[in-house]
Amino acid sequence: RDFAQFYDEKENKITLDSSNEVEKKYWQELVQYGVRTGEFNNVDSDMVMNTFLYAYRGVMMWGRILPFEEKTFENVVESVRYMLIKK
């Protein structure tokens, strides 16, 4: 993302709130769509979105500080897939 997307000129500060809300809405709508079409289990879209976004962000943030194995990220993805995909 471009820095300008996070800079609020009116408040003269950097903000992540609006970006966070856009991401949350996108993921919630995607999950809700999958539930409606029957591709996903009937899950709470807010729960899945929070689990995915915060786990993903955590892995990415810590990955800049400490090395992590690719398996760590794969585990995050598999956890979300386990919640969503019908068996």
Side-chain angles (χ1 to χ4, degrees):
R1 290 212 167 127
D2 186 91
F3 171 77
Q5 291 177 310
F6 300 120
Y7 186 74
D8 183 340
E9 290 181 18
K10 183 177 178 182
E11 297 292 325
N12 196 28
K13 66 178 182 179
I14 298 172
T15 178
L16 297 178
D17 292 342
S18 61
S19 172
N20 189 49
E21 290 307 312
V22 169
E23 280 185 289
K24 286 170 67 173
K25 184 177 182 197
Y26 171 80
W27 287 106
Q28 282 178 312
E29 288 177 357
L30 178 66
V31 171
Q32 289 167 355
Y33 171 81
V35 170
R36 277 194 315 274
T37 62
E39 297 174 68
F40 294 162
N41 292 322
N42 188 13
V43 295
D44 178 336
S45 63
D46 193 51
M47 177 201 60
V48 173
M49 175 274 309
N50 280 323
T51 301
F52 176 74
L53 282 181
Y54 291 99
Y56 173 78
R57 287 176 183 162
V59 168
M60 293 299 105
M61 182 178 65
W62 279 106
R64 292 180 181 165
I65 299 168
L66 302 168
F68 69 93
E69 297 178 15
E70 184 66 26
K71 186 70 176 161
T72 303
F73 183 71
E74 290 172 8
N75 287 342
V76 170
V77 172
E78 281 302 312
S79 295
V80 173
R81 182 176 291 138
Y82 181 79
M83 286 188 273
L84 292 175
I85 305 299
K86 292 184 173 191
K87 301 247 179 214

